[in-house]
């Protein structure tokens, strides 16, 4: 339909990067795009930490499950939900307490996600590839300490950026009718049946026939590895969602 | 730097739309772009409800604070965090319980935000304008009931889409150094001082000198209107973040 929509529709996560730096001007363009994303009531309740130090990179990579690309990608950013800056601003004009109630938690998490997604799109428009690193939430307290995050800030995810050194298959998504509803939410298990088969085909192709699975099997496997520690971590970090 | 980055950097929210429909093919392109966004472990833990029914639109507009554009924009989408579909998938393969623990809550909220932001960018690339409607969280239980949302689904925000009938000023953002950190999180109150003045200038220009405020004053005012009901709502909706 146009070049931008085609770029968006052809997204795939990149986990292998060429040994080629992202330039300062590319990074600045990416960050400016991130900053221009929508933000709830202009709160801009996010921060981004650019991890350049190689020892810090290795430690974060280890916490995130030892994925090589976390320590090796040309750029590694950590996108944080940040209510600390908001709290500081509020304190300039009185003593209204800022708690990380569920609403503020949503605002900050969403602000971080919208900014990050703009960054991802900007990077891809420059021919770069990205992958989100949710694995930072494996050990969020340790990651927060390494990055010096104050109370009311938490790392939502990391992001590797660099020149792609692989061309992964496009992973099929759920059929539109599984995620799209008109006026009323409707269950569509038939669409999920079809998708289970699409993922079976995709995984077979991706693994030369070695892996036989479906989407719902993957989801069932995932449900057995909950990150149960997140609530306690978030409350210790001041988010008060408990 | 390129057309896409320029589009991203020039985002402004649109709250007045021409009486001109968004075509089916435009909507499909927007939704396909949304579906292609990154998603945690391919969970795709979001849903989007297209609200076409005019009575439903008016009721949602009233809940969201009676903003005319919520009932009048050519398209109104509600982006939902959705763990219900995931739960159904998990149940196909056993009885591992799916709770909306804090981690799953983050995943679903982020998945909805990433998909929505891709939709916003796709819409803007077609010359359309968008505005996010966080006001749906004013009365989230009522909004959820109107849309028939099951347990483990909640409306994160709405989104109006249509042909812009206004050219708002670009709202200045925090200086990069206020949100960007290298290796370690650092407070930068000087950057906030400068931004307070930028927002003062921007608000004066936008209101013909009538409004004299700063960013931190706006934040202090916002802190007095917390949506304290969100935690109880989310727990009633099954998210178990309490």
């Amino acid at each position: 339909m146009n070049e931008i929509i085609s770029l968006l529709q052809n997204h795939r996560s990149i986990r292998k990067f060429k040994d080629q730096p992202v330039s300062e001007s590319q990074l600045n363009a990416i960050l400016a795009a991130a900053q221009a994303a929508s933000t709830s009531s202009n709160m801009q309740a996010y921060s981004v930490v650019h991890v350049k130090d190689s020892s810090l990179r290795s430690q974060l990579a280890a916490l995130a499950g030892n994925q090589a690309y976390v320590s090796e990608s040309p750029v590694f950013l950590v996108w944080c939900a940040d209510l600390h800056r908001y709290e500081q601003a509020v304190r300039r004009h009185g003593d209204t307490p800022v708690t990380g109630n569920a609403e503020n938690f949503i605002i900050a998490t969403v602000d971080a996600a919208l900014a990050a997604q703009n960054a991802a799109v900007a990077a891809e428009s420059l021919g770069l590839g990205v992958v989100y690193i949710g694995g930072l939430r494996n050990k969020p307290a340790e990651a927060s300490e390494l990055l010096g995050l104050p109370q009311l800030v938490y790392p939502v995810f990391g992001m590797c950026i660099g020149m792609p050194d692989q061309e992964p298959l496009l992973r099929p998504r759920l059929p539109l009718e599984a995620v799209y509803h008109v006026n009323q939410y409707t269950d569509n298990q038939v669409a999920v049946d079809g998708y289970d088969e699409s993922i079976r085909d995709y995984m077979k192709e991706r693994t030369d026939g070695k892996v036989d699975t479906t989407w719902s099997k993957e989801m069932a496997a995932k449900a057995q590895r909950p990150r149960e520690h997140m609530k306690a971590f978030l409350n210790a970090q001041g988010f008060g969602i408990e």
Side-chain angles (χ1 to χ4, degrees), chain A:
Chain A
M1 179 156 262
N2 67 37
E3 187 202 351
I4 300 180
I5 288 178
S6 157
L7 181 89
L8 295 170
Q9 294 183 357
N10 281 287
H11 162 75
R12 55 210 82 190
S13 296
I14 298 298
R15 295 181 174 83
K16 193 161 183 285
F17 300 94
K18 290 186 179 157
D19 185 14
Q20 191 177 316
V22 173
S23 73
E24 203 68 23
S25 71
Q26 287 178 319
L27 184 63
N28 286 336
I30 290 167
L31 293 169
Q35 287 199 271
S38 288
T39 155
S40 185
S41 304
N42 201 30
M43 278 175 66
Q44 305 171 71
Y46 70 94
S47 267
V48 54
V49 185
H50 183 173
V51 187
K52 294 182 174 180
D53 179 81
S54 61
S55 151
L56 215 44
R57 285 286 293 272
S58 316
Q59 293 175 76
L60 289 170
L63 296 178
N66 272 318
Q67 300 152 313
Y69 39 98
V70 175
S71 51
E72 290 164 12
S73 63
V75 166
F76 185 63
L77 302 177
V78 178
W79 295 93
C80 304
D82 185 346
L83 294 168
H84 170 73
R85 192 188 315 110
Y86 170 65
E87 184 190 39
Q88 301 282 94
V90 172
R91 283 199 182 155
R92 287 177 176 227
H93 302 283
D95 54 4
T96 312
V98 167
T99 58
N101 66 21
E103 166 67 4
N104 284 339
F105 180 73
I106 292 170
I107 286 175
T109 303
V110 168
D111 273 7
L114 300 185
Q117 185 57 14
N118 259 19
V121 173
E124 290 180 349
S125 81
L126 296 168
L128 301 167
V130 306
V131 62
Y132 282 86
I133 307 294
L136 274 192
R137 298 194 305 272
N138 288 344
K139 301 274 183 187
E142 291 83 342
S144 300
E145 193 176 346
L146 284 174
L147 300 173
L149 304 186
Q151 286 279 299
L152 293 175
V153 181
Y154 87 92
V156 187
F157 40 66
M159 181 185 280
C160 299
I161 308 179
M163 191 57 72
D165 195 23
Q166 62 176 178
E167 281 190 59
L169 290 174
L170 200 58
R171 187 195 297 263
R173 294 297 195 220
L174 282 160
L176 179 63
E177 55 272 29
V179 300
Y180 175 72
H181 316 263
V182 176
N183 293 321
Q184 293 291 303
Y185 188 100
T186 44
D187 253 317
N188 191 329
Q189 291 299 314
V190 176
V192 173
D193 291 340
Y195 186 56
D196 267 354
E197 293 313 308
S198 304
I199 286 291
R200 189 192 297 276
D201 295 344
Y202 162 81
M203 286 303 289
K204 276 189 184 159
E205 189 172 349
R206 202 176 114 171
T207 63
D208 288 329
K210 288 189 201 95
V211 174
D212 184 4
T213 189
T214 65
W215 181 69
S216 57
K217 273 190 197 166
E218 291 293 300
M219 295 303 106
K222 188 180 157 51
Q224 295 183 342
R225 309 181 301 267
R227 289 192 182 107
E228 294 285 13
H229 55 269
M230 280 305 289
K231 189 193 298 185
F233 159 69
L234 289 166
N235 287 324
Q237 202 67 7
F239 281 92
I241 59 168
E242 180 170 64

